[in-house]
Structure formats: C-alpha cells, structure tokens
Amino acid sequence: MTGANTAINLSVFGIFVLLTLYIVYRASTRNVSASDYYAAGSSFTGTQNGIALSGDFLSAASFLGISGAIAVNGYDGFMYSIGWVVAWLIGLMLISERLRNTGRFTMGDVMAFRMRQRPVRAAAANATLVISLFYMIAQMAGAGGLMALLLDVHSKVGQAIIIAVVGIVMVLYVLVGGMKGTTWVQIIKAVLLLLTVSLLTIFLIGKFGFDFSSILDRATQRSPLGEAVLSPGVKYGASDLSKIDFISLALALVLGTASLPHVLMRFYTVPNAREARKSVVWATWMMAIFYSCTLVIGFGAMALVGTDKITSAPGGENSAAPLLAFQVGGTVLLGIVCAVAFATILAVVAGLTLTASASFAHDVYANVIKHGEADPRDEVKVARITAVCVGVLAIVGGIAANGQNVAFLVALAFALAASANLPTLLYSLFWKRFNTRGTLWSIYGGLTSCVLLIVFSPAISGSKSSVFPDVDFALFPLSNPGIVSIPLSFLAGFLGTVIGGEKADPDKQAEMEVRGLTGIGSGLR
Amino acid sequence: MTKALPSVSRPATPGFATFDETPHSLLIDGDGEPDFGAIQTSDDFLDLKRRVKRFILPATLAFLAWYVTFVLLSAYAADFMSTPLFGTVNVGLTMGFLQIVTTIIITMAYARYSKRKLDPQVDKVRALVETDEELA
C-alpha cells in the first residue's frame, strides 16, 4: 500500500472517530446519576437495545477473527459463528427477563439477591473484572492488527504504540459518554457493520453468479489445504486430544455468551422484562444474518485473496476481511471496512470498560466498602477511575497478545464467563436450596480453575502460536479449558450448597422467584 | 416499587371485613408490600410457572441436544460431514447453517408463546397485588 492510500484510509477513519465522539458528547450531557451512567436511566426501547446488544456482542472477534478463522481453517472456523448464534437461546429463554426483573445495574445484583451481600458481590465483581479484562485484551490485539494493516506498520514496537493510542481513545469514550453515549455508538456501529457485511456478501455471491458452491470451489483451489478446508478437522482433527479441544471450544461458545457481564448489563438498559425479551429477539435476528454472512466472507477471502497472503499480512488471520475489501473495492472500501471494524472494537471496548467499572464501583465500592451508603456521585467517580485502570491493563495485555487470532482469544473469555457466571446464575434462578457458600464456590471454583488452566495451556506457552512461544510451562493440553472448568463449577456450586453453610433464605427465594417471573416488587412496568 | 401506605380496603381491626375487600389483598402484608411467599404458592403463579416450564424445558433440551449432535458429528464423523450435498456444499456446512435457522425458529416460537401464554398470566399474577395498591 502506498502513502497516498494510507492518507485516504486515515481520513475516512478520522472523520468517523470524530463523528462518533461528537455523538457520544451530545448524548451524554445529562449524565449525572448512577442510573444514567450505568444503565442509561433504563430508557432505551427493546428495538434500540436489541441493536445495541448486537453492537455490544459483535466484536472484532466476530468480524475480523471469524472471517480470518474461516479464511484460513475453513470449516473449523465456522464453528465460532454457529456457537455464537445458538448461544442466544440461553439468554432469551433462561436469563434476560429474570435478570431485568431482579437486578438494577450489575450481575452482582442478581447473584447476591438472596445471598449474603458482601462476599457474593465481591465475588461477582472479581469475575466481571477478570472476564472483561480478557475480552478487552483480545479486542486491543485486534485493534493493533487492524491499525497495523491500515498504516502498514510491520514492527512490533510500532504496533504496540498503536495499541496504546487506540486504547486511550477508547477509554475516553467511556469517560465522556457513560452508558447512554456508549449505547448510541453501539447502535450506529451495529447498523454500519451489518450493512457493510451484507453488502459485501451480496457482492461476493453476485460475483460468483449467485452460486455459493462456486465460491467454495474457488476457495479450495486457493487454499494450500485444498478440499479439506470444507470438512471438519483442519485445525482440530489431528488427534483425539485436539478433538476434545474442539468440543471444549464449542461448549465455551454456547454457554459463555449469555453469561458475559457486558451482555448481561445490556438487559438493564430497557424499562422492563418484555422489552428485554424483545431486545434479544432483535439481537438474535441480527446475529443470524451477520454470522451467515461471515461464512461467505470467510470463504470469499480464501477464494479471492488466498490463504497465504492473509497469513503473511500484518495482523495475520485477523486481516482477512480488510484484505478482501481491498481486493474487491480498492482503498476506499478498505478505509470503510477498517473504520467499521475500528468502530466495532471501540464500541465493544467501551461496553466492557463500562461494565468492569460499574461492577467495581457498584458492587465493591458502594456495597462492600461503603455498605450500600455511598454517595452516587462518588460511585460514578470511582467508576471512572476504574475505567482508566482497566483500560491501562487491557492495553498492556493487548500488546502482549498482539498477533493472536482475536476469535481464539475471545473464546477464552467465553470459557471464563461460562465457568464463573453461568452455573451461579442458573442455580440462583432455578434451584431453591442454592446458598451463599454454593455461590462462592461456583464463582471462585469456576474462575480460578479456568484462569489456571489457561495459564498452563498451550495458548500461553510452549507452542509456536503461544503468547510466550519461547518458554514451555504448558502442563494442560487443551487450549480452551471449558470442558473441564464449566462442569467443575457446576459441581462446586452443588457441593458447596449440599455440604452446608447457612440454609437458603426461603423468603428471599420466594421474592426472587416471583419477582424474576413477574416483576412484582421491582418497580418495573 | 414505592412503599405503599396500608391500603384503604384493609380492615383496621381483624375480623372487621368490608365488602370492597377482595381476596387478593391477602397477598399484601401489613406494610403494603407484596407477600411473596403467598404469591409463590398462589394458583395463578403456579400456573405461570407450569406454562414457563412447558416451553423452556423441552426447547432448551432440544436445541442443546441438536447443537451437541452437530459438534460431536463434526469431531468424530468428519467423513459423513464431508459428504457433498449441493455442488461443493457438504452435509456439515448445511447442518451448520440449519443450526442458525433453528435458532431463529425457536426464538420466534418463544416470542409468540410468551405473548400468548405467558404475558397474560403474568398480568394476572400482577393483578393480585396491584388491585390493592391502586385503591390506596
């Protein structure tokens, strides 16, 4: 890419960033109360929130990561798309409405509803912080790869500087905008992303005479793996162990989605449970369209750009979609696709930062440290400080993880969410006897086992594609720990409850069940 | 919910019942707060629970089973999944796409079921406590 092209890229990009910052600024002029900052005063409609929900969820992993994974690994990459669509059924039927009815701002509200407040809130906040951080690290790595491609930066130091700058810009959005500003960025971004992806898909299908089969045909010719890319097993089929890794990944994808803290928090920005349900229906439709398109874009990139060129580009696998855009539409389309991808990352990081900071300020500061008597203004101040700290950590982590496939990194965050949160949420909503000890055991059991297994997995050390390729402390053979840590957390929650501790409070349980299903006592209409 | 004052329809002393007192007000305790224990065992609420369970239990089991089948076939029956169906499109890719289709179908079915069978029942349960508050 020549210097002139970089200039076009950058200007498309700069305009976009300024425009969204302006919108965030306008949307947030009355961002005063804690409810405004965390939940946008619960003022969004189901439709708006549904679009924002897909904006929150469709991250760099979905756009850059999946299309890259399909463009390189074919069928095995497609697994991500399927898992992330199917997963919404759990959110729809089991979680969203009950969560809206029982909580206010955070996941901790629901987990601590009928338990001892302080330890459970602290645990929920810890889980939220760890999961959000992992997720953000992945997004930062994606942003680094994207900007490296856009500016044609090949050196690791240059890319590290880019990640830092991008990260700072993103934290700014949250500080200025709060939930309302963030939601508007998400709505705009979701619409742009879906439009871009659908148009690109229609164009690709048209180019191949409206015959998906011939895209695949061409793709197999351009891949060094040939016909094998259309079959399962390219990445995960080599041994029995890698097949288990595949199943583990599939489990994490389907169980993690509806327990991601930033997705859960999205159910609070609507006025009531019916709107929350409507949000998920809208989001599911958008996801279904989006992820169907990733299949075409992934194989399209394989067919038109070629696997070799993708893997050797700055940003690696993550650059498949931008390279495809450049191939079919030149610099302008590349600029647009990069701007949309950047917006995607921006919106997701903003949502994550907000969630992490809300969780610390609301659960730890207001409820654990100040015993529920914090000044709401102080709470928002603490939230803003937390946002900065989390942002800095994510930048450092993003620099370390630069070059990894974003979808793969994000799948680790999904495994964490599925381990720490899902068992706890399901037990506390559906199991009468579940008590404080069970809650703590399942949150901490899932969280620590999952973190430890990730640290000692081939994702971190011991193989060429690891974060630290030069050392080897990979004692655990699977790169995604879900298949071990998710059942472990269910078991821990069960044992913790059965073994003893205080009995579940029947009054609180009655209140939670009635309130969860009907909204009585929540003040919601 | 704002703490409602003790409702006007509540008799001041036990045993002094008035005509306008509905049996529903039993579900609100002395402070005007909903009595969740009583609501939880009321017929209307139990009916709501049954209706919820009737849909989400089979639907959840069905979609999880279908998803796990797909994953296991992909892992252990690669040959079957690579059988071509339309041109180069094979069984696995088709099945994957069908996962997305079934997700949409279940989503819409749940939305419809909620609107017809759950929401009216939720309103019924809510009416148990709301009649009283509105009088207050």
Side-chain angles (χ1 to χ4, degrees):
Chain A
M1 274 167 258
T2 66
N5 290 343
T6 311
I8 297 176
N9 287 338
L10 272 185
S11 40
V12 171
F13 203 68
I15 291 169
F16 187 87
V17 172
L18 288 178
L19 205 69
T20 45
L21 252 181
Y22 176 71
I23 293 164
V24 167
Y25 176 72
R26 282 302 301 269
S28 59
T29 34
R30 276 162 293 141
N31 218 348
V32 278
S33 75
S35 162
D36 285 335
Y37 183 76
Y38 298 142
S42 298
S43 58
F44 285 96
T45 67
T47 310
Q48 287 172 332
N49 197 57
I51 299 173
L53 187 56
S54 41
D56 236 332
F57 187 69
L58 294 173
S59 69
S62 301
F63 184 37
L64 304 176
I66 292 187
S67 46
I70 295 176
V72 174
N73 296 317
Y75 188 100
D76 284 2
F78 186 39
M79 191 62 233
Y80 287 101
S81 303
I82 298 162
W84 279 337
V85 175
V86 174
W88 284 92
L89 289 173
I90 294 182
L92 175 72
M93 293 193 287
L94 303 179
I95 311 266
S96 69
E97 296 168 52
R98 289 168 184 81
L99 196 82
R100 170 64 276 197
N101 278 335
T102 45
R104 279 179 71 208
F105 300 143
T106 64
M107 186 177 84
D109 288 342
V110 177
M111 289 180 173
F113 192 94
R114 60 192 179 93
M115 311 297 167
R116 266 189 297 133
Q117 293 286 317
R118 297 179 67 197
V120 173
R121 280 190 184 274
N126 283 332
T128 301
L129 288 172
V130 173
I131 295 161
S132 302
L133 191 63
F134 258 85
Y135 210 107
M136 278 171 80
I137 287 173
Q139 304 302 319
M140 293 288 181
L146 183 76
M147 295 302 286
L149 184 77
L150 198 66
L151 303 172
D152 209 16
V153 176
H154 286 264
S155 80
K156 282 281 172 199
V157 178
Q159 293 179 357
I161 294 170
I162 292 170
I163 292 176
V165 172
V166 167
I168 292 166
V169 171
M170 289 176 181
V171 173
L172 269 182
Y173 276 78
V174 179
L175 295 183
V176 176
M179 192 49 133
K180 200 172 257 174
T182 312
T183 305
W184 280 113
V185 174
Q186 254 131 12
I187 292 175
I188 297 166
K189 158 252 163 139
V191 171
L192 280 178
L193 182 62
L194 209 67
L195 272 179
T196 313
V197 168
S198 336
L199 290 177
L200 203 57
T201 303
I202 293 168
F203 175 82
L204 280 171
I205 295 188
K207 192 174 165 72
F208 285 90
F210 293 96
D211 181 11
F212 183 57
S213 175
S214 74
I215 299 183
L216 295 184
D217 207 26
R218 181 73 184 284
T220 54
Q221 291 161 20
R222 293 294 297 274
S223 167
L225 298 157
E227 300 256 322
V229 287
L230 302 181
S231 310
V234 167
K235 191 173 162 90
Y236 292 102
S239 65
D240 282 341
L241 205 60
S242 64
K243 283 175 183 171
I244 294 173
D245 211 1
F246 177 77
I247 297 169
S248 186
L249 171 73
L251 267 184
L253 297 178
V254 81
L255 299 178
T257 303
S259 36
L260 287 169
H262 68 293
V263 168
L264 296 176
M265 204 170 160
R266 259 286 149 225
F267 299 136
Y268 294 131
T269 48
V270 288
N272 57 42
R274 281 172 207 181
E275 294 296 316
R277 181 202 307 150
K278 202 165 142 196
S279 308
V280 187
V281 172
W282 266 88
T284 309
W285 271 101
M286 296 196 60
M287 307 292 167
I289 296 170
F290 178 87
Y291 287 112
S292 306
C293 291
T294 56
L295 186 63
V296 178
I297 292 178
F299 280 113
M302 191 192 282
L304 293 177
V305 184
T307 304
D308 295 335
K309 199 169 160 195
I310 293 169
T311 42
S312 58
E317 281 185 23
N318 301 325
S319 56
L323 285 176
L324 175 69
F326 182 69
Q327 188 85 21
V328 299
T331 350
V332 177
L333 193 59
L334 175 68
I336 293 172
V337 164
C338 286
V340 171
F342 182 80
T344 298
I345 297 174
L346 176 94
V348 172
V349 170
L352 287 162
T353 312
L354 193 71
T355 308
S357 65
S359 165
F360 184 79
H362 180 64
D363 287 330
V364 178
Y365 176 76
N367 280 298
V368 176
I369 298 177
K370 292 277 174 178
H371 295 269
E373 281 162 19
D375 178 3
R377 280 178 185 279
D378 286 342
E379 197 179 320
V380 173
K381 203 187 284 167
V382 171
R384 293 206 157 113
I385 296 169
T386 319
V388 175
C389 298
V390 172
V392 170
L393 283 176
I395 290 170
V396 174
I399 291 171
N402 186 18
Q404 300 267 319
N405 183 306
V406 190
F408 168 75
L409 289 173
V410 162
L412 297 178
F414 276 73
L416 281 165
S419 311
N421 300 344
L422 189 74
T424 319
L425 280 174
L426 290 184
Y427 277 145
S428 79
L429 288 170
F430 295 100
W431 187 27
K432 268 193 181 144
R433 281 184 60 194
F434 193 49
N435 63 14
T436 302
R437 180 179 287 184
T439 307
L440 295 175
W441 281 27
S442 72
I443 296 178
Y444 285 123
L447 192 66
T448 45
S449 65
C450 198
V451 169
L452 284 177
L453 292 178
I454 290 174
V455 168
F456 292 108
S457 78
I460 299 293
S461 73
S463 79
K464 263 198 311 222
S465 56
S466 307
V467 177
F468 304 108
D470 306 326
V471 280
D472 185 358
F473 49 90
L475 304 170
F476 180 70
L478 302 178
S479 57
N480 191 302
I483 201 167
V484 178
S485 59
I486 299 169
L488 198 74
S489 168
F490 271 108
L491 186 71
F494 175 76
L495 287 180
T497 302
V498 176
I499 283 174
E502 58 213 275
K503 284 241 168 2
D505 178 348
D507 294 340
K508 276 292 190 187
Q509 194 276 331
E511 182 176 352
M512 188 172 188
E513 183 170 279
V514 169
R515 192 166 149 174
L517 279 178
T518 63
I520 292 171
S522 64
L524 308 172
R525 289 262 150 196
Chain B
M1 186 166 285
T2 51
K3 267 204 168 186
L5 291 167
S7 66
V8 279
S9 64
R10 184 168 294 278
T13 47
F16 180 74
T18 53
F19 286 113
D20 58 314
E21 190 193 8
T22 60
H24 293 152
S25 59
L26 289 172
L27 301 182
I28 299 185
D29 64 18
D31 299 329
E33 290 287 311
D35 181 349
F36 290 105
I39 300 170
Q40 195 184 28
T41 49
S42 70
D43 289 341
D44 281 334
F45 185 74
L46 291 175
D47 187 33
L48 173 64
K49 260 176 81 174
R50 264 193 300 276
R51 290 178 186 217
V52 169
K53 204 167 147 193
R54 196 185 302 153
F55 190 94
I56 65 169
L57 193 70
T60 305
L61 291 178
F63 90 76
L64 281 179
W66 167 224
Y67 178 76
V68 169
T69 309
F70 170 75
V71 171
L72 290 178
L73 283 175
S74 297
Y76 296 104
D79 289 341
F80 167 70
M81 295 302 252
S82 335
T83 320
L85 270 187
F86 324 98
T88 47
V89 181
N90 57 28
V91 175
L93 289 172
T94 314
M95 230 188 212
F97 183 69
L98 284 180
Q99 293 277 342
I100 297 178
V101 174
T102 48
T103 301
I104 288 289
I105 293 172
I106 297 176
T107 301
M108 294 323 283
Y110 176 74
R112 202 176 127 105
Y113 183 82
S114 301
K115 211 165 230 165
R116 293 184 162 193
K117 301 278 178 181
L118 302 184
D119 290 351
Q121 191 64 23
V122 168
D123 291 339
K124 233 177 181 176
V125 178
R126 288 186 74 129
L128 298 180
V129 289
E130 272 166 8
T131 38
D132 235 42
E133 274 167 25
E134 274 147 27
L135 287 170

